[in-house]
Amino acid sequence: MDGRPGGRHHQAGKQPVCNREVRCEPPNNRLDRFNGTLTYAGQKYPLDNEKILLRGCTLRNTEWCFGLVLFGGQETKLMQNCGKSTFKRTSIDRLMNVLVLCIFGFLVFMCTILAIGNYIWEVKNGSNFTVFLPREDGNNAGFSAFLTFWSYIIILNTVVPISLYVSVEIIRLGNSFYIDWDRKMYYSRSDTPAEARTTTLNEELGQIKYVFSDKTGTLTQNIMIFNKCSINGTSYGDVYDYTGQRLDISEHKDPVDFSFNPLADPRFVFFDHSLVEAVKLENPEVHAFFRLLALCHTVMAEEKKEGELFYQAQSPDEGALVTAARNFGFVFRSRTPDSISIVEMGNQRNYELLAILDFNNVRKRMSVIVRSPEGKLSLYCKGADTIIYERLHQSCSKLMDVTTEHLNEFAGEGLRTLALAYKDLDEEYFCQWKQRHHEASTSLEDKESKLDELCEEIEKDLLLLGATAIEDKLQDGVPQTIEQLAKADIKIWVLTGDKQETAENIGYSCNLLREEMKDVFIISGHSPEDVRQELRNAQNSMKPDGATNSLLLPEEIGKNLIKDEAADGEYGLVINGHSLAYALESSMELEFLRAACLCKAVICCRVTPLQKAQVVELVKKYKKAVTLAIGDGANDVSMIKAAHIGVGISGQEGMQAVLSSDYSFAQFRFLQRLLLVHGRWSYLRMCKFLRYFFYKNFTFTFVHFWFAFFCGFSAQTVYDEWFITLYNLMYTALPVLGMSLFDQDVNDVWSFQHPQLYIPGQLNLYFSKKAFFKCAVHSCYSSLVLFFIPYAALQDTVRDDGKDVADYQSFALLTQTCLLFAVSIQLGLEMSYWTAVNTFFVLGSLAMYFAVTFTMYSNGMFLVVPLAFPFIGTARNTLKQPNVWLTIILTSILCVLPVVTYRFLLIQLCPTINDKVMFKVRQARATPLPPTRRARIRRTSSRRSGYAFSHAQGYGDLVTSGRFLRRPAVSRSSGFPQVGRATTGFSPMGRSAGYSPTGRPQNLKVPDVEVTSLQMYRTISDAPL
């Protein structure tokens, strides 16, 4: 249903669908419900969500079935939960479109001025030339001005950045290859490299402000591990040395040896040997504990070969619990609609399954009623500890206190807990209860409430067995990644379909929620009024001085923007799906967004795929920020499409998220490298490229503008036509591309050590309208220098031999040479990271200029095509004069002097974060600091953990219906060798096989551990820069 691999059981109807009539609800996006009827022979049969297969589901445990397609194409529920595909453009692209329009308007403005100048010049001075340049009939000053306007449109068109778009695409393509080639984003276990699936969004990776993440499979591995348990007041799972000190599991390399159990799962690992000893010593409470785990579930077992069991569980939690019971000697083997077959301590035993009281969000527990082979009736129950405690017999008070201490300890380690209890039933009472239960299940009115009352009746006076603690294992490096992104001022919102307790647990485990936070607000109202009041209370707590301004001002709403606000401390926000539905309504969405933006972390639980997209759209609508969505399943596709940038993780849940994404990789931890390294470098390079490109083109064009005032506005070019052709094509193309592909202010190690370097990109400090205006002013100044300094230097100047050099061709050559030197030096000042390629491009372009110039201006080229090469001998006659080179040096110095002065004063008086870090880099080159190890993060907490039970209701009835099973179970051998006592098949030894309290097992293979990218970097320094 939601793109996850966990099996969901579906029940077939009794009647075939041929020649029948189906009436059902119209197409909608509700994944959790379906209403319809099947009419056959005058009888109506109900169709509900349990009888519906959604698009993308895989049907298992049956060889064939009859079906009827109800909705197809875009009308399917899953497609209606998918967002629309939109063409994504970066903020720089949108700004560029505006700037190009402004530049074109400025071009028209300049040409209009020059046309007016031509008209005035023709009126005042043009008549003086009519003696030897007579005008044709009808050619007056106005017509001349009209022609001049269009002539200057052609000459000054270089101010419009036509070639810019081509260069931008080349740069983006190169930066995309860097992501594809990055070995530090390659995941060797699944042979999955990072992939840039688009080339148009690279620089936007350096401007992310909000990250929307799925939980299961994205932050976690979607692999549950049975970690610890409490049985009859005794805690198991910790390892102690001979002095009684608890050891760190990561440092203890002696797992329990389960080789004595031929049906054990070889992947299961447990370190506390005392628990298997208690099992072998036939501790009755321990046996009852694992018997409950082997019986109270809806897991399906598949045994293709003798002894090779494969479990298909609706949730990873159930799979982990059944697997734990399997390894400790209570093996769930098979099931039929009315029986469960397990192997207890080597003996095959069949329990009659009488009833399943299934889980739902209100009950938060699950029970089964079974009859043992001896005829004993028992009820086994597991669920949230708070729910189970309310139904315990008063004789369990002392055990409950001890178990509560263990639960608090488990919760402090971020584990997901379940409480286990049981009771023996009277045969006569159960028969009466069973009859009433059947009557309630067939009732047409108040069916659910009647069933709940019967469940409450029988699930009371339970006897506590203990509790389990399961670790929803995080992916490697998730806490460190979230810590890094938080330091880069990136806000992370987790949007998950899991329960509130589960998501909150993971929030604490991955450092998204921290104990240091002043408060974590829980929004769980069941009405719009309750949700609104809870949101306002949260706002008042976080920002007391802004209590009176709970609603945004009308002018802020009109701009569709909400300004960033600072809260009084650090807070977290957790909101349920039903509350989120009210919060996303148009009358309340602004209050929800304001409260959420005041928090450091936001977790949305029980959300549908469509709600995920709605949350992303809400932030995009009212916040001037760039968003990124990351997920791994089909339920994340709508969110990925809605965000500015979508990232897919290729994990356990298929490839639908990857196929809809803009970037993909295998692990969440690679996100920090994608943003803090590749994203920041791409944004920095693109901004430098744009600033320099506008500078060199504006400077080139403005010289024409000034020259117009000295040539009678005759549309004469100031440069040689060959120089105009080759300026952007040969002389300045490669140096700026080299800078845009290879430049970096600091390397990746320093980028990780100082994630604050990412913040300027979020604020658009490197390229904006203000930065563009500065480029235009700088270009205007440089063009004035480049025109008037050579003009003044050549005016009334003679060569060494007394000949005049103040001709147009010499002036054009001097001006274009000064221009090329000035823009090349400016490029050198922009570049922070010189490579051999960059150096070759810059020096090679200058060398190419002189080689082409001397070739074009040679006698040979003139003799071949005289009209195309009129500057004969200009290069060798002009460039051999000392005053020409002095002019070039003076012009270059005057062009870069204001830039050098401005940057010097800025670094001394108001240094940026980049200036500070680059200064530290220069210091570290002389005396590099030794790398330090990151301290292991251990979270201790007194808060209660969420219960580990994350599947939906309704599957118990399907298990007992028998319609999902392919064939009845056949009798199998237990798989345990019958040795020792025939009743158990186990030898009650004091120690498990291969275990020694003072030594280590022989030939123990240490599992390979993959070196993550986080181990390559030093600890982030929190010291002020």
Side-chain angles (χ1 to χ4, degrees):
M1 180 181 67
D2 57 0
R4 294 174 183 167
R8 173 174 178 171
H9 302 305
H10 292 269
Q11 179 178 354
K14 296 182 179 180
Q15 301 299 330
V17 297
C18 54
N19 298 324
R20 309 296 185 260
E21 181 184 69
V22 174
R23 294 192 177 189
C24 63
E25 62 187 14
N28 58 72
N29 56 26
R30 291 291 301 271
L31 296 176
D32 59 341
R33 57 168 294 182
F34 179 83
N35 290 324
T37 58
L38 172 66
T39 304
Y40 169 65
Q43 296 291 328
K44 290 186 177 181
Y45 301 90
L47 298 178
D48 53 24
N49 206 43
E50 299 168 6
K51 300 179 179 67
I52 300 299
L53 285 175
L54 299 182
R55 171 174 174 160
C57 290
T58 300
L59 193 63
R60 298 174 179 170
N61 296 318
T62 184
E63 295 180 354
W64 56 268
C65 72
F66 287 109
L68 173 67
V69 177
L70 297 178
F71 307 131
Q74 295 298 323
E75 293 183 347
T76 59
K77 289 178 177 286
L78 197 61
M79 289 301 293
Q80 292 204 4
N81 271 274
C82 293
K84 296 181 180 179
S85 298
T86 58
F87 180 70
K88 296 183 177 181
R89 310 189 70 176
T90 66
S91 58
I92 288 182
D93 281 336
R94 293 188 292 270
L95 177 59
M96 278 297 305
N97 292 337
V98 175
L99 294 180
V100 168
L101 292 177
C102 295
I103 291 172
F104 187 78
F106 183 65
L107 171 63
V108 173
F109 174 73
M110 287 195 299
C111 294
T112 302
I113 292 178
L114 297 179
I116 295 174
N118 178 265
Y119 177 83
I120 297 174
W121 189 89
E122 287 289 346
V123 171
K124 291 187 175 181
N125 302 320
S127 59
N128 299 332
F129 299 90
T130 56
V131 176
F132 60 93
L133 288 176
R135 294 175 180 169
E136 297 181 4
D137 295 338
N139 289 353
N140 53 22
F143 185 72
S144 176
F146 175 78
L147 295 178
T148 301
F149 174 84
W150 293 108
S151 298
Y152 275 111
I153 287 287
I154 297 173
I155 293 175
L156 303 182
N157 75 87
T158 51
V159 77
V160 180
I162 298 175
S163 61
L164 172 68
Y165 289 96
V166 178
S167 301
V168 164
E169 292 304 319
I170 295 175
I171 295 168
R172 287 172 172 170
L173 180 63
N175 288 322
S176 297
F177 280 129
Y178 291 154
I179 296 175
D180 296 339
W181 297 337
D182 193 342
R183 293 186 178 181
K184 295 179 180 178
M185 296 175 66
Y186 169 75
Y187 191 57
S188 59
R189 294 181 184 176
S190 60
D191 190 26
T192 306
E195 181 182 5
R197 300 174 54 83
T198 180
T199 61
T200 60
L201 303 174
N202 294 333
E203 63 270 15
E204 196 117 291
L205 290 171
Q207 299 178 274
I208 302 298
K209 182 65 175 181
Y210 290 89
V211 170
F212 300 93
S213 174
D214 182 36
K215 183 190 73 67
T216 306
T218 302
L219 298 179
T220 66
Q221 298 181 11
N222 202 16
I223 300 175
M224 307 297 176
I225 299 176
F226 183 84
N227 196 292
K228 297 181 181 180
C229 62
S230 172
I231 305 177
N232 196 31
T234 303
S235 177
Y236 298 96
D238 290 321
V239 181
Y240 300 88
D241 61 10
Y242 63 92
T243 64
Q245 296 293 325
R246 185 166 67 176
L247 299 177
D248 192 345
I249 294 296
S250 62
E251 300 174 0
H252 192 80
K253 302 298 184 182
D254 298 332
V256 173
D257 184 8
F258 292 105
S259 60
F260 62 87
N261 183 353
L263 294 178
D265 188 342
R267 297 169 297 180
F268 181 82
V269 179
F270 199 76
F271 294 92
D272 189 356
H273 296 259
S274 61
L275 182 55
V276 75
E277 292 175 14
V279 172
K280 289 184 176 182
L281 292 174
E282 302 181 2
N283 185 306
E285 289 81 10
V286 175
H287 279 208
F289 180 89
F290 286 113
R291 186 179 297 114
L292 185 152
L293 295 181
L295 293 173
C296 186
H297 58 79
T298 57
V299 174
M300 297 294 299
E302 184 179 4
E303 189 170 0
K304 297 181 179 180
K305 295 181 181 179
E306 181 71 20
E308 293 185 5
L309 285 171
F310 298 94
Y311 291 149
Q312 297 180 10
Q314 300 167 25
S315 68
D317 310 89
E318 279 208 324
L321 294 175
V322 176
T323 301
R326 167 186 175 181
N327 278 63
F328 283 101
F330 290 76
V331 184
F332 166 63
R333 197 72 180 269
S334 63
R335 78 185 316 143
T336 67
D338 55 2
S339 68
I340 298 178
S341 176
I342 66 174
V343 178
E344 291 187 10
M345 308 299 292
N347 292 326
Q348 185 89 22
R349 291 172 62 87
N350 292 321
Y351 287 80
E352 182 182 358
L353 180 61
L354 302 174
I356 294 181
L357 310 182
D358 210 354
F359 167 87
N360 62 38
N361 291 332
V362 178
R363 285 169 42 79
K364 298 182 179 180
R365 64 190 184 278
M366 172 190 176
S367 299
V368 295
I369 301 176
V370 296
R371 179 182 280 114
S372 69
E374 294 80 15
K376 182 179 179 181
L377 279 178
S378 299
L379 180 145
Y380 294 104
C381 182
K382 66 181 180 181
D385 48 82
T386 55
I387 301 298
I388 299 297
Y389 280 8
E390 296 174 356
R391 291 157 178 80
L392 293 178
H393 193 272
Q394 58 184 3
S395 62
C396 299
S397 58
K398 292 185 178 179
L399 178 58
M400 185 170 59
D401 294 338
V402 177
T403 306
T404 301
E405 293 181 4
H406 295 161
L407 285 169
N408 291 333
E409 182 181 350
F410 298 157
E413 299 177 13
L415 304 178
R416 306 169 60 168
T417 60
L418 280 178
L420 311 183
Y422 79 103
K423 68 179 293 188
D424 296 327
L425 299 176
D426 179 70
E427 186 75 33
E428 181 179 355
Y429 166 75
F430 175 73
C431 291
Q432 297 176 357
W433 181 90
K434 183 69 173 178
Q435 179 62 30
R436 287 183 289 149
H437 185 271
H438 176 71
E439 294 174 357
S441 63
T442 57
S443 175
L444 298 179
E445 298 181 357
D446 299 330
K447 175 181 176 180
E448 294 184 358
S449 61
K450 292 178 180 179
L451 290 176
D452 288 340
E453 291 178 2
L454 288 171
C455 293
E456 289 286 345
E457 175 186 330
I458 200 170
E459 292 174 330
K460 64 181 181 180
D461 296 332
L462 302 176
L463 300 179
L464 182 64
L465 276 177
T468 62
I470 294 177
E471 180 184 4
D472 185 1
K473 194 172 182 61
L474 291 173
Q475 292 186 11
D476 295 336
V478 168
Q480 294 85 349
T481 299
I482 291 179
E483 178 187 359
Q484 286 280 74
L485 298 181
K487 290 184 177 181
D489 199 25
I490 297 175
K491 295 186 177 182
I492 300 177
W493 293 20
V494 175
L495 312 178
T496 177
D498 285 338
K499 303 181 305 294
Q500 173 185 322
E501 293 84 355
T502 304
E504 195 174 346
N505 252 354
I506 296 299
Y508 279 98
S509 299
C510 65
N511 284 348
L512 188 64
L513 300 177
R514 298 186 301 276
E515 295 295 329
E516 295 78 14
M517 288 183 170
K518 297 183 68 174
D519 198 359
V520 177
F521 302 103
I522 308 296
I523 310 298
S524 57
H526 290 272
S527 67
E529 293 75 17
D530 294 341
V531 175
R532 188 186 301 274
Q533 188 59 44
E534 290 176 352
L535 289 173
R536 289 184 175 179
N537 292 339
Q539 293 179 25
N540 296 340
S541 300
M542 291 184 286
K543 196 174 178 63
D545 55 341
T548 58
N549 298 323
S550 58
L551 294 178
L552 297 179
L553 298 177
E555 56 266 26
E556 291 178 338
I557 299 177
K559 296 178 181 179
N560 282 344
L561 293 177
I562 295 179
K563 296 181 180 179
D564 292 332
E565 299 178 276
D568 184 20
E570 292 188 358
Y571 297 89
L573 179 70
V574 179
I575 183 169
N576 278 318
H578 54 81
S579 302
L580 183 62
Y582 297 121
L584 291 176
E585 294 178 355
S586 57
S587 60
M588 206 185 306
E589 61 182 8
L590 291 176
E591 289 199 50
F592 164 65
L593 183 60
R594 186 186 180 199
C597 291
L598 285 171
C599 299
K600 294 290 290 184
V602 178
I603 299 178
C604 301
C605 316
R606 289 296 188 191
V607 295
T608 65
L610 188 60
Q611 284 179 324
K612 291 183 178 182
Q614 289 173 343
V615 172
V616 176
E617 292 287 358
L618 180 64
V619 175
K620 288 175 60 178
K621 180 179 179 181
Y622 291 108
K623 298 293 291 184
K624 189 179 180 181
V626 181
T627 60
L628 179 145
I630 179 171
D632 69 321
N635 59 327
D636 303 315
V637 169
S638 58
M639 174 178 67
I640 288 173
K641 289 182 177 179
H644 291 100
I645 293 179
V647 177
I649 291 183
S650 54
Q652 305 290 330
E653 300 185 10
M655 297 293 291
Q656 293 195 49
V658 171
L659 295 176
S660 301
S661 65
D662 305 306
Y663 301 89
S664 66
F665 41 73
Q667 292 282 288
F668 180 83
R669 69 174 184 268
F670 297 149
L671 180 64
Q672 64 169 330
R673 185 167 183 86
L674 182 70
L675 299 185
L676 302 185
V677 178
H678 291 288
R680 197 180 67 84
W681 281 351
S682 296
Y683 174 71
L684 182 66
R685 291 164 179 166
M686 184 61 68
C687 292
K688 283 188 174 183
F689 166 77
L690 292 175
R691 293 199 306 261
Y692 177 75
F693 192 93
F694 283 125
Y695 167 77
K696 73 180 184 68
N697 275 27
F698 284 6
T699 304
F700 173 86
T701 307
F702 287 166
V703 176
H704 283 299
F705 183 79
W706 308 127
F707 182 66
F709 291 90
F710 293 84
C711 68
F713 306 97
S714 59
Q716 170 69 41
T717 59
V718 70
Y719 312 115
D720 173 26
E721 59 183 19
W722 283 105
F723 180 81
I724 296 175
T725 303
L726 299 177
Y727 178 72
N728 281 321
L729 185 63
M730 182 180 295
Y731 300 150
T732 61
L734 289 181
V736 69
L737 284 178
M739 179 186 70
S740 305
L741 292 174
F742 302 108
D743 192 45
Q744 53 183 257
D745 51 353
V746 295
N747 59 24
D748 54 349
V749 177
W750 286 95
S751 297
F752 282 121
Q753 290 183 347
H754 299 280
Q756 300 89 348
L757 289 169
Y758 191 84
I759 296 177
Q762 298 171 338
L763 303 177
N764 290 317
L765 297 183
Y766 293 148
F767 187 76
S768 59
K769 294 178 181 178
K770 181 179 179 180
F772 173 78
F773 179 76
K774 289 181 178 178
C775 287
V777 173
H778 183 202
S779 300
C780 183
Y781 165 79
S782 297
S783 64
L784 287 170
V785 173
L786 288 170
F787 176 75
F788 285 103
I789 295 298
Y791 181 83
L794 291 183
Q795 189 177 19
D796 300 331
T797 303
V798 295
R799 299 193 311 186
D800 295 338
D801 56 3
K803 295 182 179 180
D804 186 14
V805 295
D807 60 279
Y808 161 73
Q809 293 184 350
S810 299
F811 172 73
L813 176 64
L814 177 58
T815 304
Q816 63 194 35
T817 305
C818 292
L819 170 66
L820 197 59
F821 271 92
V823 297
S824 298
I825 296 175
Q826 180 66 33
L827 178 70
L829 294 177
E830 290 285 347
M831 217 157 3
S832 304
Y833 184 65
W834 282 86
T835 65
V837 176
N838 288 347
T839 305
F840 174 76
F841 282 168
V842 173
L843 298 181
S845 295
L846 290 174
M848 180 65 67
Y849 165 73
F850 285 108
V852 171
T853 299
F854 277 99
T855 302
M856 295 289 187
Y857 298 173
S858 64
N859 297 345
M861 297 300 293
F862 175 78
L863 294 176
V864 174
V865 188
L867 295 179
F869 303 99
F871 281 51
I872 178 174
T874 304
R876 63 175 182 268
N877 291 331
T878 303
L879 293 179
K880 68 180 182 181
Q881 302 298 319
N883 60 326
V884 171
W885 285 102
L886 290 176
T887 303
I888 295 174
I889 295 174
L890 176 62
T891 305
S892 302
I893 293 175
L894 291 178
C895 284
V896 301
L897 184 61
V899 178
V900 174
T901 304
Y902 173 76
R903 293 186 180 181
F904 174 79
L905 295 177
L906 188 66
I907 292 175
Q908 297 299 320
L909 302 178
C910 186
T912 63
I913 178 66
N914 297 68
D915 298 328
K916 297 177 183 178
V917 174
M918 292 178 70
F919 177 73
K920 293 183 67 174
V921 171
R922 288 191 292 270
Q923 287 184 322
R925 286 174 181 172
T927 56
L929 298 175
T932 57
R933 297 180 58 188
R934 176 186 293 275
R936 183 174 181 267
I937 299 176
R938 293 184 60 89
R939 185 178 66 82
T940 58
S941 169
S942 60
R943 62 179 297 278
R944 294 299 289 273
S945 169
Y947 57 96
F949 209 46
S950 59
H951 63 269
Q953 69 181 63
Y955 306 133
D957 295 337
L958 295 172
V959 170
T960 57
S961 69
R963 295 186 179 88
F964 62 91
L965 294 173
R966 179 164 44 190
R967 62 179 67 90
V970 297
S971 176
R972 300 181 179 89
S973 63
S974 65
F976 282 82
Q978 297 293 333
V979 294
R981 290 166 38 172
T983 57
T984 63
F986 284 84
S987 177
M989 303 294 292
R991 297 284 178 182
S992 60
Y995 171 70
S996 172
T998 57
R1000 297 172 68 89
Q1002 298 293 324
N1003 302 325
L1004 179 63
K1005 182 179 178 180
V1006 179
D1008 296 333
V1009 179
E1010 183 187 14
V1011 179
T1012 65
S1013 60
L1014 295 172
Q1015 295 172 304
M1016 303 178 184
Y1017 308 118
R1018 289 178 286 186
T1019 305
I1020 302 168
S1021 176
D1022 291 328
L1025 296 173

